[in-house]
Amino acid sequence: MRSSSVCRPRTINNHSHRKLLASAMSSSPNFSATSPYSATMKRASKPVTEANPSTLNFDGSKERVKKMLDKVELSVSSYDTAWVAMIPSLNSPERPCFPHCVKWIMDNQLSDGSWGLSHQHRFLVKDKLSSTLACILALKLWNMGEQQINKGLEFIESNSASLTDANQHTPIGFNIIFSGMVEYAKELNLSLPLELRETGVVLLKRDLELRSGFDGNLEGRKAYLAYVSEGIRKSQNWDMIMKYQRKNGSLFNSPSTTAAAFIQLHDDRCFHYLCSLLDKSGNAVPTTYPLDDYARLCMVDTLIRLGIDRHFREEIKFVLDETYQYWLQGEEDIFLDVATCAMAFRLLRANGYDVSSDVLSRFSEDQFLNSYQGYLRDTGAALELYKASQMLYPSELHLEKQLSWTSQFLEQGILNGSNYVGRLNQYAITEVHDALKFPQHADLDRLVNRRSIEHYNVDNTRILKTSFRCSSIGNKDHLKLAVEDFNFVQSIQLEELEYLGRWVVENRLDKLKFARQKLAYCYFSAAASMPAPELSSARISWAKNGVLTTVVDDFFDVGGTEEELLNLVQLIEKWDVDENTVFCSKEVEIIFHALHSTISEIGNKAFKCQGRDVMSHVADVWLDLLKSMFQEAQWTSKKSVPTLVEYMENAYVSFALGPIVLPALYFVGPKLSEEVVSSPEFHDLFKVMSTCGRLLNDWRGFQRESNEGKLNAVSLQMIHDSGDLTKEQTVEKLKGVIEQETKKLLKMVLQEKDSMVPRPCKDMFWKMIRVLHLFYRKDDGFTSNEMIDVANAVFGEPINLDDLLV
Ligand SMILES: C=C1CC[C@@H]2C(C)(C)CCC[C@@]2(C)[C@@H]1CC/C(C)=C/COP(=O)(O)OP(=O)(O)O
């Protein structure tokens, strides 16, 4: 595979990154444009280069990734192949049933005498010992490969210290299985070069494990002991373990358990599973099969998290369509595995498939703890449940409970050292940290992308009873594509930010001394939420309107007199102005011109994509905002106190999300008819989103606004409750409403039934909710400078692939 260089931003070096962000944050932007209006106005209003994603040179990675989605490739397992090789022929039990597996073992010993994955992790020596011993047993059983056996025994001898090394990763069931194999070796008259002390430790641990109680986890322990049956051998209750047989004939999709069961019971369906597996995989088997559903869902999830899913839309749709079919058919491979089931639920629900969360009610805390995964205290499974439970709709109480117990379980796991079944710990712990720190409703796509890229584990080794690799999980191609794409998108976004800086200056918005200069935040919220290059116009519209609403908000809050405010409202209402128009101040003139030109520009651009005139809608959205702000200013100046209901009816509009979100919807792709835009559904989406934003702002701004004598939902709620509740209780009450509204919006966005607003447009409402939760996470992040570091993840240094591969 040729390595390709990191795609650097086209125009801006690292130093300029910092300068650009700093100037966009500062109160007097230091952008390149000079004089306001006239000539330069034309340059600024020229849209930035529309990006063409196909100019990226992905160096064949894209094709390889597509293939991986189509075909899941699993590494072969010497350990499992050895157990299959140990099956005697039914007709002549002195010969192997699958001689080609024995031959495979003979041919696949590694140069150091061991069997197992090549290039293995240094903490997986126990795993190597286990695979090597299993292969030696298979050869000894059929009296073959004396030379290989001796070399294998040498490997065991020189690595036996690892058996007692606490730093070594312990494969699932290792103590039971290894001890069982040591006993089997004795029966085969094979003397193992192991010190008594070393085998003693393993045997002791095995005995403790077998004798220990089930600690309230009877079902989980039973399943675990059934899974490691090959290590229990004669003491196993073989008939009992057949209750775990799956429709495909296997036990736990595990070739080794299935082989061990077949040796004892000669069950036809076990035989059929093994034969059909060998038909597909040749002379050796993987350690778990099939893994397609899980692996493909993992890959879809990874592509989304890395921010490269837009290059694989068709393939992802195919995987999700198929998963949905399996979901409807009750497919075992989805429903019997907690992680697969939770991930399928999350990805299907997120992508508009109608899936009921009832399925997850099987994984209540009690049930989980009494399951196989619970017995192993499997962090990975709990993490998937935790992520799935964040997709909750209002009144899905079991998901709410699930969210609460899984987060506690994961936090405890971090404190006590998690057991991330199947994964090597250091990578997994970061994933749990990230998931707990960044709940999905307060996280933005681009932040997820950067974090996922920086924490991406290219080593795709996983471990069950033995280690394995899966081509679709943990892959350099994914990372390479993601880094190139991230830097490519960043270079486009930095150009857009520069362009917006010029636009601010040319519109003389920097001359309005009363106004907060928040271009970087406004653009950041757009860039981090909708990074796809083709959404440039949506980002620009969102950011410009964000800047303008901030200016107008400050004008109404502190900068303008009543006469000026009224003048501005009337001018926008009148719309057509000429050179004789009288502005009652320089400020009104600047604001009016900026609004007029921006609304006109957006209207003209939108006409091209929508094929109809939407200018008046955009102007109306602005007028609604101005009127609501005027109303608030009136309440303040007249010192009148509206009821909470009156306040909220106005305040959701005055929170200013109308001009930011609604015009941008015209640029995300689908046609939005007049009928859709004036539908109750459209209005509800806006109202729920804005109510949430308003309450978040009022909660976080309560102290400041009280000091300024401004009305606020918190103070009005306290008045409304006749002083029965303290400030803290009132805030708790409002937080409850915010949570509820957030869930409500998620449901409205995801549910396709009875919905006429196209999904890409509904997504924009959800994107804004995530921005709001992020900005108001600790305090009023929009007013404070707390968010600079967060913005840096998007606009700061590009990512260097080489740094990630060291
Ligand atoms: C309108 C705003 C500009 C865009 C901004 C982003 C960047 C999306 C981040 C979240 C906040 C926000 C939506 C921001 C909201 C600030 C704003 C003008 C609130 C209006 O309500 P008001 O009570 O007047 O607030 P304040 O007194 O100005 O704090």
Side-chain angles (χ1 to χ4, degrees):
M1 185 198 309
R2 275 192 304 135
S3 69
S4 79
S5 61
V6 182
C7 172
R8 302 275 170 205
R10 287 172 295 183
T11 49
I12 296 171
N13 62 29
N14 296 352
H15 172 65
S16 342
H17 275 243
R18 261 173 262 124
K19 220 170 97 194
L20 189 58
L21 191 60
S23 58
M25 303 296 311
S26 76
S27 54
S28 63
N30 182 20
F31 296 108
S32 53
T34 46
S35 76
Y37 285 141
S38 60
T40 45
M41 191 69 186
K42 278 201 187 80
R43 189 160 64 84
S45 55
K46 186 170 159 276
V48 276
T49 345
E50 284 292 337
N52 175 7
S54 63
T55 56
L56 265 182
N57 170 21
F58 282 143
D59 198 18
S61 311
K62 207 164 156 178
E63 289 314 308
R64 284 195 292 277
V65 172
K66 280 186 183 179
K67 274 200 193 114
M68 283 175 223
L69 265 177
D70 192 40
K71 190 163 184 269
V72 171
E73 290 195 14
L74 293 166
S75 59
V76 288
S77 152
S78 323
Y79 172 80
D80 288 81
T81 305
W83 281 100
V84 177
M86 283 186 243
I87 300 175
S89 156
L90 288 178
N91 303 326
S92 17
E94 66 290 349
R95 288 211 304 270
C97 181
F98 299 108
H100 49 291
C101 291
V102 187
K103 167 107 180 30
W104 184 92
I105 293 171
M106 301 261 287
D107 296 344
N108 284 278
Q109 187 171 30
L110 298 172
S111 56
D112 63 358
S114 72
W115 278 269
L117 293 182
S118 51
H119 312 298
Q120 211 169 33
H121 203 276
R122 68 196 162 101
F123 293 126
L124 288 177
V125 182
K126 272 184 175 177
D127 171 39
K128 269 270 163 84
L129 287 168
S130 169
S131 299
T132 303
L133 183 50
C135 289
I136 291 175
L137 292 178
L139 294 180
K140 180 75 184 164
L141 180 66
W142 307 119
N143 275 325
M144 292 170 79
E146 199 183 330
Q147 222 185 332
Q148 283 91 338
I149 291 179
N150 290 336
K151 241 180 124 189
L153 291 174
E154 275 168 32
F155 175 84
I156 292 182
E157 184 171 19
S158 47
N159 287 279
S160 59
S162 297
L163 288 173
T164 51
D165 178 356
N167 291 321
Q168 282 292 321
H169 192 94
T170 305
I172 298 180
F174 178 81
N175 296 319
I176 293 177
I177 291 172
F178 198 82
S179 303
M181 290 197 293
V182 169
E183 285 166 3
Y184 192 19
K186 262 191 219 144
E187 288 166 28
L188 294 175
N189 291 324
L190 181 73
S191 137
L192 296 177
L194 289 171
E195 303 269 340
L196 209 58
R197 191 180 59 82
E198 291 152 356
T199 43
V201 169
V202 184
L203 284 165
L204 188 72
K205 284 189 182 162
R206 187 264 309 259
D207 292 345
L208 280 175
E209 231 182 281
L210 289 177
R211 263 191 254 118
S212 68
F214 49 85
D215 195 20
N217 188 314
L218 185 56
E219 286 311 315
R221 183 177 159 81
K222 275 188 187 162
Y224 165 71
L225 293 178
Y227 177 55
V228 298
S229 285
E230 66 269 32
I232 299 180
R233 306 172 61 240
K234 287 171 194 150
S235 346
Q236 182 61 281
N237 175 349
W238 288 98
D239 290 324
M240 185 280 288
I241 77 151
M242 291 313 282
K243 79 170 189 193
Y244 297 102
Q245 189 168 36
R246 298 195 173 189
K247 282 190 193 134
N248 64 15
S250 80
L251 288 157
F252 306 99
N253 284 346
S254 160
S256 47
T257 319
T258 311
F262 180 71
I263 293 171
Q264 301 296 329
L265 302 171
H266 297 168
D267 176 82
D268 281 350
R269 290 174 55 220
C270 286
F271 189 66
H272 181 258
Y273 167 77
L274 294 169
C275 290
S276 65
L277 175 51
L278 283 166
D279 263 356
K280 287 196 185 76
S281 64
N283 302 337
V285 294
T287 193
T288 177
Y289 177 86
L291 194 68
D292 298 42
D293 295 333
Y294 173 76
R296 292 198 309 165
L297 287 170
C298 265
M299 192 164 158
V300 167
D301 190 39
T302 303
L303 296 176
I304 296 171
R305 288 206 335 258
L306 293 176
I308 46 177
D309 49 311
R310 66 178 194 287
H311 300 294
F312 305 98
R313 277 201 190 110
E314 265 176 44
E315 290 80 5
I316 289 177
K317 184 172 181 314
F318 183 80
V319 171
L320 293 180
D321 279 349
E322 225 171 54
T323 306
Y324 187 52
Q325 286 312 313
Y326 298 149
W327 179 277
L328 295 177
Q329 290 157 14
E331 176 89 30
E332 278 185 346
D333 287 330
I334 289 184
F335 289 99
L336 288 185
D337 179 64
V338 180
T340 311
C341 183
M343 189 157 45
F345 168 77
R346 171 168 60 87
L347 290 171
L348 289 174
R349 181 171 269 192
N351 286 283
Y353 296 83
D354 184 14
V355 282
S356 158
S357 65
D358 290 351
V359 176
L360 295 180
S361 60
R362 292 185 296 139
F363 309 124
S364 66
E365 184 171 14
D366 287 350
Q367 276 156 304
F368 179 82
L369 292 177
N370 192 21
S371 71
Y372 169 73
Q373 273 90 1
Y375 182 74
L376 297 177
R377 297 201 70 75
D378 183 352
T379 307
L383 179 62
E384 278 308 330
L385 284 175
Y386 170 73
K387 289 186 188 167
S389 57
Q390 295 188 36
M391 301 301 296
L392 82 171
Y393 293 163
S395 74
E396 287 185 319
L397 292 180
H398 61 285
L399 285 191
E400 214 155 298
K401 283 191 191 146
Q402 185 173 297
L403 185 61
S404 146
W405 81 256
T406 48
S407 60
Q408 281 166 20
F409 183 94
L410 294 171
E411 266 155 23
Q412 255 173 25
I414 288 180
L415 292 177
N416 306 339
S418 341
N419 185 17
Y420 212 123
V421 173
R423 308 278 287 274
L424 300 175
N425 268 341
Q426 79 246 37
Y427 305 108
I429 287 171
T430 323
E431 201 183 334
V432 176
H433 262 289
D434 285 354
L436 288 172
K437 196 162 162 206
F438 307 100
Q440 72 106 7
H441 68 271
D443 210 356
L444 310 184
D445 286 352
R446 209 59 189 145
L447 303 176
V448 177
N449 300 157
R450 180 155 205 147
R451 251 190 347 260
S452 306
I453 291 173
E454 289 178 342
H455 297 164
Y456 190 76
N457 175 15
V458 277
D459 176 3
N460 56 2
T461 310
R462 297 220 168 181
I463 180 156
L464 295 169
K465 280 191 277 196
T466 183
S467 57
F468 70 101
R469 295 196 180 110
C470 172
S471 61
S472 330
I473 304 169
N475 189 294
K476 267 193 199 148
D477 278 324
H478 295 168
L479 187 64
K480 220 170 88 182
L481 265 177
V483 170
E484 287 188 25
D485 192 70
F486 187 93
N487 293 339
F488 175 70
V489 165
Q490 187 185 59
S491 67
I492 293 168
Q493 295 192 338
L494 288 169
E495 278 185 11
E496 288 176 1
L497 182 57
E498 249 191 316
Y499 156 76
L500 286 165
R502 293 197 297 275
W503 170 84
V504 167
V505 175
E506 286 159 14
N507 280 280
R508 297 188 294 169
L509 298 173
D510 57 325
K511 298 283 181 292
L512 300 172
K513 294 298 168 220
F514 60 84
R516 290 169 286 177
Q517 299 292 331
K518 293 289 179 183
L519 168 63
Y521 280 173
C522 291
Y523 181 65
F524 158 74
S525 64
S529 306
M530 33 184 170
E534 63 272 22
L535 295 178
S536 176
S537 298
R539 282 192 293 277
I540 300 277
S541 166
W542 172 303
K544 282 185 177 175
N545 280 308
V547 169
L548 290 171
T549 50
T550 311
V551 165
V552 169
D553 180 60
D554 289 341
F555 192 53
F556 276 75
D557 279 355
V558 290
T561 62
E562 191 172 336
E563 189 198 355
E564 286 177 309
L565 305 185
L566 194 60
N567 187 210
L568 181 63
V569 178
Q570 285 167 346
L571 284 164
I572 292 291
E573 212 158 14
K574 183 164 176 248
W575 189 249
D576 291 321
V577 291
D578 54 30
E579 65 276 14
N580 301 322
T581 306
V582 181
F583 299 95
C584 79
S585 69
K586 194 91 203 130
E587 280 75 17
V588 173
E589 186 181 355
I590 292 177
I591 297 173
F592 174 75
H593 276 299
L595 285 178
H596 197 279
S597 70
T598 307
I599 294 171
S600 307
E601 178 203 302
I602 290 173
N604 290 334
K605 256 190 181 178
F607 186 83
K608 289 193 196 126
C609 10
Q610 292 293 326
R612 70 184 184 90
D613 187 0
V614 298
M615 180 111 67
S616 56
H617 176 232
V618 180
D620 282 348
V621 170
W622 260 106
L623 195 56
D624 286 347
L625 172 65
L626 294 174
K627 285 182 175 167
S628 70
M629 286 179 164
F630 190 75
Q631 172 68 74
E632 267 175 13
Q634 292 276 294
W635 281 332
T636 310
S637 74
K638 295 201 166 67
K639 297 205 172 9
S640 55
V641 181
T643 64
L644 182 61
V645 175
E646 282 166 343
Y647 170 79
M648 280 310 294
E649 264 314 298
N650 190 66
Y652 82 87
V653 181
S654 76
F655 187 63
L657 298 183
I660 302 175
V661 177
L662 305 185
L665 301 180
Y666 290 123
F667 301 110
V668 293
K671 294 257 187 308
L672 271 180
S673 66
E674 178 96 49
E675 190 198 358
V676 170
V677 174
S678 51
S679 67
E681 182 193 357
F682 190 87
H683 184 72
D684 277 356
L685 285 162
F686 172 58
K687 188 169 179 180
V688 174
M689 167 188 72
S690 298
T691 303
C692 224
R694 167 50 74 194
L695 292 178
L696 280 164
N697 179 279
D698 284 14
W699 162 28
R700 293 306 193 187
F702 169 64
Q703 211 51 58
R704 179 175 52 85
E705 292 188 327
S706 296
N707 298 341
E708 291 166 3
K710 267 192 75 187
L711 291 172
N712 180 301
V714 180
S715 45
L716 286 173
Q717 178 76 51
M718 286 170 82
I719 298 173
H720 188 265
D721 289 331
S722 334
D724 290 346
L725 298 182
T726 62
K727 186 196 115 194
E728 287 70 28
Q729 287 168 326
T730 310
V731 164
E732 280 309 309
K733 195 166 171 177
L734 291 184
K735 272 163 73 180
V737 180
I738 295 168
E739 261 181 42
Q740 209 49 26
E741 293 296 291
T742 304
K743 289 177 209 156
K744 196 160 139 190
L745 190 73
L746 182 65
K747 185 172 183 183
M748 290 167 77
V749 170
L750 299 185
Q751 264 195 353
E752 296 204 335
K753 200 166 153 260
D754 301 329
S755 170
M756 65 194 295
V757 182
R759 176 64 195 269
C761 299
K762 290 199 288 183
D763 278 340
M764 300 284 275
F765 293 90
W766 184 246
K767 286 176 192 298
M768 180 52 100
I769 277 281
R770 295 168 82 191
V771 168
L772 296 167
H773 278 286
L774 178 72
F775 269 81
Y776 293 100
R777 200 165 43 150
K778 285 209 208 106
D779 56 7
D780 177 352
F782 185 63
T783 305
S784 75
N785 281 338
E786 283 269 309
M787 298 294 295
I788 298 176
D789 285 347
V790 184
N792 251 324
V794 174
F795 302 128
E797 309 278 318
I799 303 175
N800 186 348
L801 181 64
D802 297 334
D803 292 346
L804 302 176
L805 293 177
V806 284

